[in-house]
C-alpha cells in the first residue's frame, strides 16, 4: 500500500509538472494587439543584436511596441562562419522573433518589412515588404512617438569593380548557405572527369579578402573542412586545395594584441593557409582577383590570382536607410560611418530618435558586444522614462486631491515626498558606458585566440585551451536553450559522422 501511494503521488507530481511546463510553453500576451491611445508608440527597426537586446529587457506594457525588420529572426553571428562548412546547421543559430515576442509581458506588433524612409518631420516610417510573396498592400507607413534604429550595416566593397557580381559575402544566413553550396560545387567540378590540372588548381583555390576576424575565422573553418572531411572523401584532389587570405594592412586581426597576431600568423602557416599582407585588391573578375602588392622596398606591383571561390570580408558600410536619414539632418552632415549619437544614444540633431549597434557611431567598434549593451541600456532608459511618467502623474493626482480635501494632508504629503524621492533616484540615469569583455576568434585546427579583460587588465591567450573557452563562451551566449542544444548536437554530429557534403 505504501508503494501504491508513492506511485500515485509521483504520477500526480508528473502530471502537475507537465501542466506547468505546457503552461510555460503556451505563455504569451493577449492575442490581439490593440494600441492603447494613453501610451506612446515605440517603433524598433531591426531584429539584430541591438534591437533584440532592447526587446529582451524592455517592459512592453509601458508602450505600444512595433518591431519592423526584413528578417523575422535573430541571428547569432559569432557562429555564422561555422555554417559555411556545415559544422553547424544554419537553423541552430536562428531564433524566430515571434518566439521572442511571445514571452513578453504585453503584446508587440511585428511587421516583416524593410524601412525605406524615415520622415523626421511627420514622425512616420515608410515600410516595404520586399519578400518574394507580396500582398495587394506591400508598402505603407507606420507612425511613431519614439523610434529606435538598429538596422546594422552593409558589406563594404569600396566600389571595387566586380566585387558585388563575383564574390560571396558573409553577413547573413543566405550568404553562409551560398558559400557552402559553392565550396562543394568547386570540389565536384574539380573532380569532374578529364578536368585539366590548371583548372583543378583554380577551382580548388579559395580566396578570402579581408584579414579582420570574419576573414580569419572563415579561412580557419575552411581548412578544417578540407583536412577533416574532403581529404577522406575525395583524396585524389585534396593535395591541390589552397586557401589564401589577402589583407591590405601589414598584419591580420588588427584589434588583437601583437602576440596573438603573431600566433595566428604562425598557426596559419602550419595549417597551410597563405597570408598575403600589404596586398590591396583592386579588381575582381569571374575567375581572377587583381591586387596591388607593396614589397619590402615600398615598390608596388600588380598581380593576378585565379580563384574558384572568393569570399569578401572587408568590413561595414552604411545602409541606404541610414544614408537617407543622414542627408535629412543638418547636424549629421559630417557623419561618414553612421548616425552620430550622444551618450544616451540619441541621434544628434533629431527628435525622439535613438540608434544602436553597427549603424550608430558612439565611439566603439561595430561588434555584437557593443550592440547588445547599447540595446540593454536603452531598455533600462525607456523603462525608467515610463516609470517617471507614471509617478509624475500620481504626484499630480495627489496634489489635486490635497487642494480638494485640505483636511487630512499628512498621509498624502508623506506619499508625495516618498514618490519624489523615488523620482530623483530614477531620473538619475547614468550615460551609456561600454564594458569590454574581450575579443575571441577561432583560427582553425581547434585553436582560438582571446584577448580577455581580467581584473582591470588584459589576458592574451591562444591555443587548444582557448578553443575550449571559445566554444563554451559562445555556447553559453546563444540566444535560447533550444539554440544551445542544437549547436551542441551539431558539433557532436559533425565530430562523429563528419560534415554533410551534399550540395543543396
Ligand atoms: P545586426 O545584428 O546586423 O542586425 C540588423 C537588423 O536590422 C537585422 O535584423 C536586419 O534584417 C535589419 N534591417 C536591415 N535593414 C533594415 C531596414 N531597412 N529596416 C528594418 N530593419 C532592417 N561581434 C562580436 O562582438 N563577436 C563576434 O564573435 C562576432 N562575430 C561575427 C561574425 C560574423 C560572420 C559577422 C558578420 C559579424 C560578427 N560580429 C561579431 C559583429 C556583429 O555581428 C555585429 O556587430 C552585430 O550584428 C551588430 O548588431 P546590430 O544590431 O547593429 O545589427
Ligand atoms: P574588419 O573591418 O574588421 O576587417 C576588414 C579588413 O579588410 C581590414 O583589415 C581591411 O584592411 C581589409 N581590407 C579592406 N579593403 C581591402 C582590400 N581592397 N583588399 C584587401 N584587404 C582589404 O571586418 P570584419 O572582419 O568583417 O569585421 C566587422 C566587424 O565585426 C568588426 O568590428 C569585427 O570586430 C566584428 N567581428 C568580430 C568577430 C569576433 O570578435 N570574433 C568576428 C567577426 C566580426
Amino acid at each position: 500500500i505504501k508503494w501504491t501511494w508513492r506511485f500515485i503521488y509521483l504520477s500526480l507530481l508528473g502530471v502537475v509538472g507537465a501542466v506547468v511546463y505546457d503552461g510555460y510553453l503556451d505563455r504569451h500576451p493577449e492575442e490581439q494587439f490593440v494600441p492603447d491611445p494613453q501610451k506612446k508608440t515605440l517603433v524598433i527597426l531591426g531584429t539584430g543584436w541591438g534591437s533584440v537586446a532592447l526587446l529582451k529587457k524592455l517592459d512592453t506594457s509601458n508602450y505600444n511596441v512595433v518591431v519592423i525588420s526584413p528578417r523575422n529572426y535573430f541571428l547569432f553571428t559569432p557562429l555564422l562562419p561555422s555554417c559555411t562548412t556545415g559544422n553547424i546547421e544554419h537553423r541552430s543559430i536562428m531564433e524566430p522573433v515571434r518566439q521572442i515576442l511571445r514571452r513578453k509581458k504585453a503584446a508587440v506588433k511585428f511587421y516583416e518589412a524593410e524601412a525605406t524612409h524615415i520622415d523626421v518631420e511627420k514622425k512616420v516610417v515608410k515600410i516595404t515588404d520586399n519578400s518574394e510573396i507580396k500582398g495587394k498592400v506591400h508598402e505603407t507607413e507606420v507612425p511613431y512617438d519614439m523610434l529606435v534604429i538598429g538596422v546594422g550595416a552593409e558589406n563594404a566593397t569600396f566600389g571595387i569593380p566586380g566585387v558585388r557580381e563575383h564574390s560571396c559575402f558573409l553577413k547573413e544566413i543566405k550568404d553562409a548557405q551560398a558559400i557552402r553550396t559553392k565550396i562543394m560545387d568547386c570540389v565536384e567540378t574539380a573532380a569532374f572527369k578529364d578536368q585539366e590540372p590548371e583548372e583543378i588548381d583554380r577551382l580548388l583555390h579559395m580566396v578570402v579578402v579581408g584579414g579582420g576576424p570574419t576573414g580569419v575565422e572563415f579561412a580557419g573553418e575552411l581548412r578544417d573542412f578540407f583536412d577533416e572531411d574532403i581529404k577522406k572523401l575525395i583524396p585524389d584532389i585534396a593535395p591541390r586545395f589552397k586557401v589564401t587570405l589577402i589583407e591590405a594592412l601589414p598584419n591580420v586581426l588588427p584589434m588583437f594584441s601583437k602576440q596573438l597576431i603573431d600566433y595566428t600568423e604562425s598557426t596559419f602557416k602550419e595549417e597551410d593557409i597563405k597570408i598575403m599582407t600589404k596586398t590591396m585588391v583592386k579588381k575582381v573578375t569571374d575567375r581572377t582577383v587583381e591586387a596591388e602588392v607593396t614589397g619590402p622596398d615600398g615598390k608596388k606591383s600588380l598581380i593576378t590570382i585565379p580563384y574558384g571561390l572568393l569570399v569578401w570580408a572587408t568590413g561595414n558600410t552604411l545602409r541606404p536607410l541610414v544614408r537617407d536619414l543622414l542627408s535629412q539632418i543638418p547636424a549629421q552632415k559630417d557623419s561618414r560611418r553612421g548616425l552620430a549619437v550622444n551618450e544616451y544614444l540619441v541621434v544628434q540633431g533629431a527628435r525622439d530618435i535613438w540608434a544602436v549597434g553597427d549603424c550608430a557611431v558612439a565611439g566603439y567598434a561595430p561588434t555584437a558586444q557593443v550592440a547588445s549593451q547599447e540595446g540593454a541600456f536603452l531598455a533600462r532608459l525607456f523603462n525608467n522614462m515610463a516609470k517617471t511618467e507614471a509617478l509624475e502623474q500620481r504626484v499630480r493626482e495627489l496634489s489635486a486631491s490635497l487642494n480638494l480635501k485640505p483636511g487630512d494632508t499628512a498621509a498624502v504629503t508623506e506619499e508625495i515626498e516618498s514618490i519624489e524621492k523615488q523620482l530623483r533616484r530614477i531620473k538619475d540615469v547614468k550615460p551609456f558606458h561600454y564594458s569590454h569583455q574581450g575579443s575571441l576568434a577561432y583560427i582553425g585546427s581547434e585553436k582560438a585566440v582571446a584577448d580577455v579583460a581580467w581584473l582591470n587588465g588584459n589576458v592574451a591567450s591562444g591555443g587548444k585551451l582557448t578553443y575550449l573557452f571559445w566554444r563554451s563562451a559562445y555556447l553559453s551566449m546563444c540566444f535560447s536553450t533550444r539554440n544551445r542544444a542544437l549547436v551542441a548536437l551539431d558539433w557532436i554530429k559533425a565530430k562523429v559522422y563528419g560534415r554533410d557534403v551534399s550540395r543543396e
Side-chain angles (χ1 to χ4, degrees), residues 158 160 209-215 217 246-249 254-255 279-281 312-316 366-367 440-441 474:
F158 307 104
I160 296 170
V209 182
T214 304
E217 291 194 325
I246 301 178
E247 167 56 54
L249 297 175
M255 69 291 293
T279 307
M280 168 92 75
V281 173
W312 193 266
T314 62
N316 296 339
T367 66
L440 273 169
Y474 282 161

PDB file of all heavy atoms in Angstrom, residues 158 160 209-215 217 246-249 254-255 279-281 312-316 366-367 440-441 474, ligand 2:
ATOM      1  N   PHE A 158      33.894  49.247 -51.303  1.00  0.00           N
ATOM      2  CA  PHE A 158      34.701  50.407 -51.706  1.00  0.00           C
ATOM      3  C   PHE A 158      34.594  50.672 -53.207  1.00  0.00           C
ATOM      4  O   PHE A 158      35.532  51.215 -53.808  1.00  0.00           O
ATOM      5  CB  PHE A 158      36.178  50.212 -51.294  1.00  0.00           C
ATOM      6  CG  PHE A 158      36.325  49.871 -49.826  1.00  0.00           C
ATOM      7  CD1 PHE A 158      36.603  48.569 -49.435  1.00  0.00           C
ATOM      8  CD2 PHE A 158      36.160  50.833 -48.846  1.00  0.00           C
ATOM      9  CE1 PHE A 158      36.715  48.236 -48.098  1.00  0.00           C
ATOM     10  CE2 PHE A 158      36.276  50.507 -47.505  1.00  0.00           C
ATOM     11  CZ  PHE A 158      36.550  49.208 -47.121  1.00  0.00           C
ATOM     12  N   ILE A 160      34.923  48.676 -55.568  1.00  0.00           N
ATOM     13  CA  ILE A 160      35.898  47.921 -56.370  1.00  0.00           C
ATOM     14  C   ILE A 160      35.141  47.111 -57.431  1.00  0.00           C
ATOM     15  O   ILE A 160      34.213  46.358 -57.109  1.00  0.00           O
ATOM     16  CB  ILE A 160      36.762  47.019 -55.457  1.00  0.00           C
ATOM     17  CG1 ILE A 160      37.582  47.921 -54.523  1.00  0.00           C
ATOM     18  CG2 ILE A 160      37.665  46.084 -56.268  1.00  0.00           C
ATOM     19  CD1 ILE A 160      38.298  47.215 -53.423  1.00  0.00           C
ATOM     20  N   VAL A 209      39.193  37.760 -48.963  1.00  0.00           N
ATOM     21  CA  VAL A 209      39.729  39.126 -48.937  1.00  0.00           C
ATOM     22  C   VAL A 209      39.266  39.808 -47.654  1.00  0.00           C
ATOM     23  O   VAL A 209      38.067  39.882 -47.368  1.00  0.00           O
ATOM     24  CB  VAL A 209      39.283  39.944 -50.177  1.00  0.00           C
ATOM     25  CG1 VAL A 209      39.902  41.342 -50.153  1.00  0.00           C
ATOM     26  CG2 VAL A 209      39.672  39.218 -51.447  1.00  0.00           C
ATOM     27  N   GLY A 210      40.232  40.301 -46.875  1.00  0.00           N
ATOM     28  CA  GLY A 210      39.941  40.953 -45.589  1.00  0.00           C
ATOM     29  C   GLY A 210      40.455  40.089 -44.437  1.00  0.00           C
ATOM     30  O   GLY A 210      39.948  38.991 -44.228  1.00  0.00           O
ATOM     31  N   GLY A 211      41.458  40.600 -43.748  1.00  0.00           N
ATOM     32  CA  GLY A 211      42.061  39.836 -42.635  1.00  0.00           C
ATOM     33  C   GLY A 211      41.533  40.265 -41.281  1.00  0.00           C
ATOM     34  O   GLY A 211      42.213  40.136 -40.270  1.00  0.00           O
ATOM     35  N   GLY A 212      40.280  40.760 -41.235  1.00  0.00           N
ATOM     36  CA  GLY A 212      39.625  41.024 -39.942  1.00  0.00           C
ATOM     37  C   GLY A 212      39.156  39.679 -39.378  1.00  0.00           C
ATOM     38  O   GLY A 212      39.408  38.622 -39.984  1.00  0.00           O
ATOM     39  N   PRO A 213      38.451  39.684 -38.249  1.00  0.00           N
ATOM     40  CA  PRO A 213      38.016  38.416 -37.661  1.00  0.00           C
ATOM     41  C   PRO A 213      37.109  37.579 -38.563  1.00  0.00           C
ATOM     42  O   PRO A 213      37.196  36.358 -38.537  1.00  0.00           O
ATOM     43  CB  PRO A 213      37.293  38.821 -36.381  1.00  0.00           C
ATOM     44  CG  PRO A 213      37.227  40.292 -36.370  1.00  0.00           C
ATOM     45  CD  PRO A 213      38.124  40.840 -37.400  1.00  0.00           C
ATOM     46  N   THR A 214      36.263  38.213 -39.407  1.00  0.00           N
ATOM     47  CA  THR A 214      35.383  37.429 -40.286  1.00  0.00           C
ATOM     48  C   THR A 214      36.226  36.597 -41.255  1.00  0.00           C
ATOM     49  O   THR A 214      36.027  35.382 -41.384  1.00  0.00           O
ATOM     50  CB  THR A 214      34.433  38.348 -41.092  1.00  0.00           C
ATOM     51  OG1 THR A 214      33.708  39.162 -40.175  1.00  0.00           O
ATOM     52  CG2 THR A 214      33.451  37.565 -41.937  1.00  0.00           C
ATOM     53  N   GLY A 215      37.191  37.248 -41.926  1.00  0.00           N
ATOM     54  CA  GLY A 215      38.028  36.557 -42.904  1.00  0.00           C
ATOM     55  C   GLY A 215      38.868  35.468 -42.245  1.00  0.00           C
ATOM     56  O   GLY A 215      38.972  34.355 -42.767  1.00  0.00           O
ATOM     57  N   GLU A 217      38.355  33.823 -39.336  1.00  0.00           N
ATOM     58  CA  GLU A 217      37.558  32.689 -38.842  1.00  0.00           C
ATOM     59  C   GLU A 217      37.082  31.814 -40.008  1.00  0.00           C
ATOM     60  O   GLU A 217      37.104  30.590 -39.918  1.00  0.00           O
ATOM     61  CB  GLU A 217      36.360  33.185 -38.031  1.00  0.00           C
ATOM     62  CG  GLU A 217      36.800  33.815 -36.718  1.00  0.00           C
ATOM     63  CD  GLU A 217      35.664  34.020 -35.727  1.00  0.00           C
ATOM     64  OE1 GLU A 217      34.549  34.321 -36.177  1.00  0.00           O
ATOM     65  OE2 GLU A 217      35.912  33.891 -34.518  1.00  0.00           O
ATOM     66  N   ILE A 246      43.885  37.504 -48.136  1.00  0.00           N
ATOM     67  CA  ILE A 246      44.504  38.751 -48.622  1.00  0.00           C
ATOM     68  C   ILE A 246      44.128  39.918 -47.713  1.00  0.00           C
ATOM     69  O   ILE A 246      42.942  40.129 -47.430  1.00  0.00           O
ATOM     70  CB  ILE A 246      44.034  39.053 -50.074  1.00  0.00           C
ATOM     71  CG1 ILE A 246      44.409  37.884 -50.998  1.00  0.00           C
ATOM     72  CG2 ILE A 246      44.629  40.350 -50.577  1.00  0.00           C
ATOM     73  CD1 ILE A 246      43.957  38.064 -52.444  1.00  0.00           C
ATOM     74  N   GLU A 247      45.124  40.667 -47.271  1.00  0.00           N
ATOM     75  CA  GLU A 247      44.870  41.789 -46.355  1.00  0.00           C
ATOM     76  C   GLU A 247      45.687  43.002 -46.807  1.00  0.00           C
ATOM     77  O   GLU A 247      46.878  42.886 -47.093  1.00  0.00           O
ATOM     78  CB  GLU A 247      45.224  41.369 -44.910  1.00  0.00           C
ATOM     79  CG  GLU A 247      45.300  42.481 -43.899  1.00  0.00           C
ATOM     80  CD  GLU A 247      44.034  43.319 -43.788  1.00  0.00           C
ATOM     81  OE1 GLU A 247      42.964  42.750 -43.582  1.00  0.00           O
ATOM     82  OE2 GLU A 247      44.144  44.564 -43.913  1.00  0.00           O
ATOM     83  N   ALA A 248      45.026  44.166 -46.825  1.00  0.00           N
ATOM     84  CA  ALA A 248      45.697  45.379 -47.292  1.00  0.00           C
ATOM     85  C   ALA A 248      46.726  45.908 -46.287  1.00  0.00           C
ATOM     86  O   ALA A 248      47.743  46.488 -46.661  1.00  0.00           O
ATOM     87  CB  ALA A 248      44.646  46.452 -47.580  1.00  0.00           C
ATOM     88  N   LEU A 249      46.469  45.686 -44.999  1.00  0.00           N
ATOM     89  CA  LEU A 249      47.353  46.214 -43.946  1.00  0.00           C
ATOM     90  C   LEU A 249      48.568  45.289 -43.740  1.00  0.00           C
ATOM     91  O   LEU A 249      48.597  44.178 -44.268  1.00  0.00           O
ATOM     92  CB  LEU A 249      46.575  46.343 -42.633  1.00  0.00           C
ATOM     93  CG  LEU A 249      45.396  47.320 -42.643  1.00  0.00           C
ATOM     94  CD1 LEU A 249      44.649  47.260 -41.320  1.00  0.00           C
ATOM     95  CD2 LEU A 249      45.865  48.739 -42.926  1.00  0.00           C
ATOM     96  N   PRO A 254      43.831  43.277 -36.745  1.00  0.00           N
ATOM     97  CA  PRO A 254      44.436  44.464 -36.133  1.00  0.00           C
ATOM     98  C   PRO A 254      43.948  44.773 -34.708  1.00  0.00           C
ATOM     99  O   PRO A 254      44.667  45.426 -33.949  1.00  0.00           O
ATOM    100  CB  PRO A 254      44.091  45.602 -37.097  1.00  0.00           C
ATOM    101  CG  PRO A 254      43.187  45.034 -38.117  1.00  0.00           C
ATOM    102  CD  PRO A 254      43.168  43.558 -38.009  1.00  0.00           C
ATOM    103  N   MET A 255      42.745  44.268 -34.329  1.00  0.00           N
ATOM    104  CA  MET A 255      42.220  44.606 -32.992  1.00  0.00           C
ATOM    105  C   MET A 255      42.791  43.716 -31.887  1.00  0.00           C
ATOM    106  O   MET A 255      42.524  43.941 -30.713  1.00  0.00           O
ATOM    107  CB  MET A 255      40.687  44.586 -32.975  1.00  0.00           C
ATOM    108  CG  MET A 255      40.030  43.220 -33.125  1.00  0.00           C
ATOM    109  SD  MET A 255      40.243  42.519 -34.764  1.00  0.00           S
ATOM    110  CE  MET A 255      39.292  43.623 -35.773  1.00  0.00           C
ATOM    111  N   THR A 279      48.567  43.758 -49.370  1.00  0.00           N
ATOM    112  CA  THR A 279      48.053  43.436 -50.703  1.00  0.00           C
ATOM    113  C   THR A 279      46.621  43.963 -50.803  1.00  0.00           C
ATOM    114  O   THR A 279      45.748  43.533 -50.050  1.00  0.00           O
ATOM    115  CB  THR A 279      48.073  41.899 -50.925  1.00  0.00           C
ATOM    116  OG1 THR A 279      49.389  41.439 -50.647  1.00  0.00           O
ATOM    117  CG2 THR A 279      47.658  41.521 -52.325  1.00  0.00           C
ATOM    118  N   MET A 280      46.443  44.913 -51.693  1.00  0.00           N
ATOM    119  CA  MET A 280      45.129  45.575 -51.813  1.00  0.00           C
ATOM    120  C   MET A 280      44.439  45.123 -53.099  1.00  0.00           C
ATOM    121  O   MET A 280      44.978  45.353 -54.188  1.00  0.00           O
ATOM    122  CB  MET A 280      45.372  47.095 -51.820  1.00  0.00           C
ATOM    123  CG  MET A 280      44.211  47.927 -52.220  1.00  0.00           C
ATOM    124  SD  MET A 280      43.221  48.444 -50.843  1.00  0.00           S
ATOM    125  CE  MET A 280      44.227  49.718 -50.134  1.00  0.00           C
ATOM    126  N   VAL A 281      43.269  44.489 -52.945  1.00  0.00           N
ATOM    127  CA  VAL A 281      42.539  44.036 -54.137  1.00  0.00           C
ATOM    128  C   VAL A 281      41.957  45.259 -54.849  1.00  0.00           C
ATOM    129  O   VAL A 281      41.372  46.145 -54.219  1.00  0.00           O
ATOM    130  CB  VAL A 281      41.431  43.029 -53.760  1.00  0.00           C
ATOM    131  CG1 VAL A 281      40.571  42.699 -54.964  1.00  0.00           C
ATOM    132  CG2 VAL A 281      42.049  41.762 -53.189  1.00  0.00           C
ATOM    133  N   TRP A 312      34.399  37.809 -49.695  1.00  0.00           N
ATOM    134  CA  TRP A 312      34.755  39.217 -49.490  1.00  0.00           C
ATOM    135  C   TRP A 312      34.352  39.629 -48.069  1.00  0.00           C
ATOM    136  O   TRP A 312      33.162  39.621 -47.740  1.00  0.00           O
ATOM    137  CB  TRP A 312      34.027  40.081 -50.533  1.00  0.00           C
ATOM    138  CG  TRP A 312      34.566  41.475 -50.602  1.00  0.00           C
ATOM    139  CD1 TRP A 312      34.101  42.569 -49.941  1.00  0.00           C
ATOM    140  CD2 TRP A 312      35.689  41.907 -51.384  1.00  0.00           C
ATOM    141  NE1 TRP A 312      34.862  43.666 -50.262  1.00  0.00           N
ATOM    142  CE2 TRP A 312      35.839  43.284 -51.141  1.00  0.00           C
ATOM    143  CE3 TRP A 312      36.586  41.274 -52.241  1.00  0.00           C
ATOM    144  CZ2 TRP A 312      36.855  44.041 -51.739  1.00  0.00           C
ATOM    145  CZ3 TRP A 312      37.585  42.026 -52.845  1.00  0.00           C
ATOM    146  CH2 TRP A 312      37.713  43.394 -52.589  1.00  0.00           C
ATOM    147  N   ALA A 313      35.354  39.946 -47.236  1.00  0.00           N
ATOM    148  CA  ALA A 313      35.061  40.295 -45.825  1.00  0.00           C
ATOM    149  C   ALA A 313      35.863  41.524 -45.418  1.00  0.00           C
ATOM    150  O   ALA A 313      36.774  41.449 -44.588  1.00  0.00           O
ATOM    151  CB  ALA A 313      35.406  39.109 -44.930  1.00  0.00           C
ATOM    152  N   THR A 314      35.541  42.664 -46.044  1.00  0.00           N
ATOM    153  CA  THR A 314      36.345  43.865 -45.777  1.00  0.00           C
ATOM    154  C   THR A 314      35.611  44.891 -44.906  1.00  0.00           C
ATOM    155  O   THR A 314      35.868  46.089 -44.997  1.00  0.00           O
ATOM    156  CB  THR A 314      36.784  44.527 -47.104  1.00  0.00           C
ATOM    157  OG1 THR A 314      35.598  44.923 -47.806  1.00  0.00           O
ATOM    158  CG2 THR A 314      37.597  43.592 -47.970  1.00  0.00           C
ATOM    159  N   GLY A 315      34.700  44.427 -44.071  1.00  0.00           N
ATOM    160  CA  GLY A 315      34.064  45.325 -43.101  1.00  0.00           C
ATOM    161  C   GLY A 315      32.750  45.926 -43.566  1.00  0.00           C
ATOM    162  O   GLY A 315      32.114  45.427 -44.501  1.00  0.00           O
ATOM    163  N   ASN A 316      32.360  47.008 -42.883  1.00  0.00           N
ATOM    164  CA  ASN A 316      30.990  47.555 -42.999  1.00  0.00           C
ATOM    165  C   ASN A 316      30.895  48.879 -43.748  1.00  0.00           C
ATOM    166  O   ASN A 316      31.846  49.658 -43.755  1.00  0.00           O
ATOM    167  CB  ASN A 316      30.436  47.835 -41.589  1.00  0.00           C
ATOM    168  CG  ASN A 316      30.297  46.573 -40.773  1.00  0.00           C
ATOM    169  OD1 ASN A 316      30.234  45.483 -41.314  1.00  0.00           O
ATOM    170  ND2 ASN A 316      30.237  46.725 -39.468  1.00  0.00           N
ATOM    171  N   PRO A 366      32.270  48.260 -34.207  1.00  0.00           N
ATOM    172  CA  PRO A 366      30.967  47.676 -34.575  1.00  0.00           C
ATOM    173  C   PRO A 366      30.912  46.184 -34.236  1.00  0.00           C
ATOM    174  O   PRO A 366      31.131  45.339 -35.088  1.00  0.00           O
ATOM    175  CB  PRO A 366      30.899  47.908 -36.089  1.00  0.00           C
ATOM    176  CG  PRO A 366      32.324  47.972 -36.527  1.00  0.00           C
ATOM    177  CD  PRO A 366      33.148  48.440 -35.375  1.00  0.00           C
ATOM    178  N   THR A 367      30.631  45.859 -32.989  1.00  0.00           N
ATOM    179  CA  THR A 367      30.582  44.450 -32.578  1.00  0.00           C
ATOM    180  C   THR A 367      29.247  44.120 -31.909  1.00  0.00           C
ATOM    181  O   THR A 367      28.511  45.014 -31.478  1.00  0.00           O
ATOM    182  CB  THR A 367      31.706  44.119 -31.571  1.00  0.00           C
ATOM    183  OG1 THR A 367      31.455  44.851 -30.371  1.00  0.00           O
ATOM    184  CG2 THR A 367      33.083  44.453 -32.105  1.00  0.00           C
ATOM    185  N   LEU A 440      37.415  37.422 -29.024  1.00  0.00           N
ATOM    186  CA  LEU A 440      37.653  35.995 -29.224  1.00  0.00           C
ATOM    187  C   LEU A 440      37.583  35.700 -30.717  1.00  0.00           C
ATOM    188  O   LEU A 440      36.730  36.252 -31.405  1.00  0.00           O
ATOM    189  CB  LEU A 440      36.520  35.201 -28.578  1.00  0.00           C
ATOM    190  CG  LEU A 440      36.580  34.804 -27.115  1.00  0.00           C
ATOM    191  CD1 LEU A 440      35.235  34.271 -26.694  1.00  0.00           C
ATOM    192  CD2 LEU A 440      37.657  33.762 -26.875  1.00  0.00           C
ATOM    193  N   ALA A 441      38.453  34.835 -31.205  1.00  0.00           N
ATOM    194  CA  ALA A 441      38.315  34.421 -32.611  1.00  0.00           C
ATOM    195  C   ALA A 441      38.831  33.002 -32.789  1.00  0.00           C
ATOM    196  O   ALA A 441      39.851  32.625 -32.194  1.00  0.00           O
ATOM    197  CB  ALA A 441      39.061  35.381 -33.531  1.00  0.00           C
ATOM    198  N   TYR A 474      30.734  30.822 -26.417  1.00  0.00           N
ATOM    199  CA  TYR A 474      29.711  31.053 -27.429  1.00  0.00           C
ATOM    200  C   TYR A 474      28.472  30.185 -27.213  1.00  0.00           C
ATOM    201  O   TYR A 474      27.363  30.610 -27.508  1.00  0.00           O
ATOM    202  CB  TYR A 474      30.286  30.886 -28.839  1.00  0.00           C
ATOM    203  CG  TYR A 474      31.079  32.100 -29.268  1.00  0.00           C
ATOM    204  CD1 TYR A 474      31.990  32.058 -30.301  1.00  0.00           C
ATOM    205  CD2 TYR A 474      30.909  33.328 -28.618  1.00  0.00           C
ATOM    206  CE1 TYR A 474      32.714  33.185 -30.676  1.00  0.00           C
ATOM    207  CE2 TYR A 474      31.625  34.447 -28.984  1.00  0.00           C
ATOM    208  CZ  TYR A 474      32.527  34.376 -30.022  1.00  0.00           C
ATOM    209  OH  TYR A 474      33.227  35.497 -30.379  1.00  0.00           O
TER     210      TYR A 474
HETATM  211  P1  LIG B   2      37.044  44.388 -40.414  1.00  0.00           P
HETATM  212  O1  LIG B   2      36.687  45.783 -40.722  1.00  0.00           O
HETATM  213  O2  LIG B   2      37.385  44.034 -39.027  1.00  0.00           O
HETATM  214  O3  LIG B   2      38.266  43.940 -41.330  1.00  0.00           O
HETATM  215  C1  LIG B   2      38.277  44.125 -42.732  1.00  0.00           C
HETATM  216  C2  LIG B   2      39.707  44.042 -43.243  1.00  0.00           C
HETATM  217  O4  LIG B   2      39.680  44.094 -44.662  1.00  0.00           O
HETATM  218  C3  LIG B   2      40.563  45.201 -42.766  1.00  0.00           C
HETATM  219  O5  LIG B   2      41.679  44.679 -42.061  1.00  0.00           O
HETATM  220  C4  LIG B   2      40.956  45.916 -44.053  1.00  0.00           C
HETATM  221  O6  LIG B   2      42.296  46.389 -44.023  1.00  0.00           O
HETATM  222  C5  LIG B   2      40.816  44.818 -45.110  1.00  0.00           C
HETATM  223  N1  LIG B   2      40.566  45.346 -46.454  1.00  0.00           N
HETATM  224  C6  LIG B   2      39.700  46.346 -46.802  1.00  0.00           C
HETATM  225  N2  LIG B   2      39.729  46.535 -48.145  1.00  0.00           N
HETATM  226  C7  LIG B   2      40.614  45.649 -48.667  1.00  0.00           C
HETATM  227  C8  LIG B   2      41.066  45.342 -49.989  1.00  0.00           C
HETATM  228  N3  LIG B   2      40.605  46.008 -51.063  1.00  0.00           N
HETATM  229  N4  LIG B   2      41.990  44.382 -50.149  1.00  0.00           N
HETATM  230  C9  LIG B   2      42.459  43.687 -49.090  1.00  0.00           C
HETATM  231  N5  LIG B   2      42.060  43.924 -47.811  1.00  0.00           N
HETATM  232  C10 LIG B   2      41.152  44.888 -47.599  1.00  0.00           C
HETATM  233  O7  LIG B   2      35.829  43.496 -40.984  1.00  0.00           O
HETATM  234  P2  LIG B   2      35.177  42.154 -40.451  1.00  0.00           P
HETATM  235  O8  LIG B   2      36.178  41.119 -40.188  1.00  0.00           O
HETATM  236  O9  LIG B   2      34.081  41.848 -41.399  1.00  0.00           O
HETATM  237  O10 LIG B   2      34.529  42.593 -39.071  1.00  0.00           O
HETATM  238  C11 LIG B   2      33.499  43.587 -38.988  1.00  0.00           C
HETATM  239  C12 LIG B   2      33.207  43.890 -37.528  1.00  0.00           C
HETATM  240  O11 LIG B   2      32.663  42.734 -36.890  1.00  0.00           O
HETATM  241  C13 LIG B   2      34.458  44.274 -36.746  1.00  0.00           C
HETATM  242  O12 LIG B   2      34.155  45.264 -35.821  1.00  0.00           O
HETATM  243  C14 LIG B   2      34.820  42.999 -36.017  1.00  0.00           C
HETATM  244  O13 LIG B   2      35.459  43.256 -34.782  1.00  0.00           O
HETATM  245  C15 LIG B   2      33.460  42.337 -35.795  1.00  0.00           C
HETATM  246  N6  LIG B   2      33.648  40.889 -35.776  1.00  0.00           N
HETATM  247  C16 LIG B   2      34.111  40.320 -34.629  1.00  0.00           C
HETATM  248  C17 LIG B   2      34.374  38.975 -34.586  1.00  0.00           C
HETATM  249  C18 LIG B   2      34.929  38.384 -33.337  1.00  0.00           C
HETATM  250  O14 LIG B   2      35.022  39.071 -32.342  1.00  0.00           O
HETATM  251  N7  LIG B   2      35.276  37.123 -33.332  1.00  0.00           N
HETATM  252  C19 LIG B   2      34.123  38.102 -35.742  1.00  0.00           C
HETATM  253  C20 LIG B   2      33.679  38.814 -36.925  1.00  0.00           C
HETATM  254  C21 LIG B   2      33.446  40.158 -36.913  1.00  0.00           C
END
